[in-house]
Structure formats: structure tokens, C-alpha cells
Amino acid sequence: MFIKRVENFICEHCGHSVIGNGFTNHCPKCLYSKHVDVFPGDRGADCGGMMPLIKMESLNNTYILTHKCVTCGYEKRNKMSPDDDFDVAIKIVKRV
Ligand SMILES: [Zn+2]
Ligand SMILES: [Zn+2]
């Protein structure tokens, strides 16, 4: 199940306004996500916790980001989008 939903949102971590493309669920500037989906795009989770980036791995010429919810500990993997700030991502995962 995958619901494509175009949605702009303001990042609750850094205040950057994110232009949604239907797949973006995290901020490209600080790489924070939010725990709102059970399945990608369904906004079915009522947790709403902030999800910082905790891990980045390379896979088939792309990067997989893992976000972890600070409220409930739920972990979610996402493909890195071309808009995401790679340097910021590197810094975050090195710090963790
Ligand atoms: Zn942000
Ligand atoms: Zn959560």
C-alpha cells in the first residue's frame, strides 16, 4: 500500500518550509522526519513524534536513511531524496 500525497509542510525542527513531492516525509535541510505514517503516505500513525536521522547506508547507488522516533522508538527506513542535504546527513550520522 502506497498513497502518493503532495503536501507542503513546515519542518518542526528547523522551520524550513518543505515543498512536498508526494514522497518527501522528511526535511531536506536537517533530515528530521515525523512519525505520522504507518504505511508510507497514509498518515495513519497518531504518534506524531519527531524522528531524527540515526543511520545512513548505501545500497545500489542510492542511500537509505533510517529515522527513529524520539517518542516511541519506532524506526523507519527511507530512500534518500536528491533534495536532501548530503553534507548535513553525513554530519548527523557521524555524531550519533
Ligand atoms: Zn528541518
Ligand atoms: Zn512514534
Side-chain angles (χ1 to χ4, degrees):
M1 186 165 113
F2 196 99
I3 302 165
K4 189 175 191 299
R5 191 181 300 197
V6 178
E7 186 176 37
N8 300 339
F9 60 95
I10 306 285
C11 173
E12 289 179 28
H13 182 70
C14 72
H16 177 68
S17 49
V18 182
I19 310 299
N21 61 12
F23 296 101
T24 307
N25 61 359
H26 56 266
C27 172
K29 295 283 177 216
C30 69
L31 285 309
Y32 262 68
S33 184
K34 202 179 172 203
H35 191 187
V36 289
D37 295 339
V38 176
F39 296 100
D42 72 351
R43 302 298 185 261
D46 47 20
C47 173
M50 293 307 289
M51 299 182 70
L53 174 66
I54 58 160
K55 199 163 77 176
M56 184 165 83
E57 15 182 358
S58 62
L59 182 78
N60 302 331
N61 298 324
T62 181
Y63 283 94
I64 305 293
L65 306 177
T66 303
H67 291 98
K68 185 171 183 178
C69 178
V70 293
T71 304
C72 70
Y74 173 76
E75 288 185 20
K76 186 152 150 258
R77 299 169 88 212
N78 291 292
K79 250 190 207 162
M80 190 168 203
S81 110
D83 296 336
D84 291 344
D85 194 318
F86 190 81
D87 293 336
V88 171
I90 292 279
K91 272 182 206 145
I92 293 171
V93 293
K94 273 191 180 157
R95 203 169 58 209
V96 172

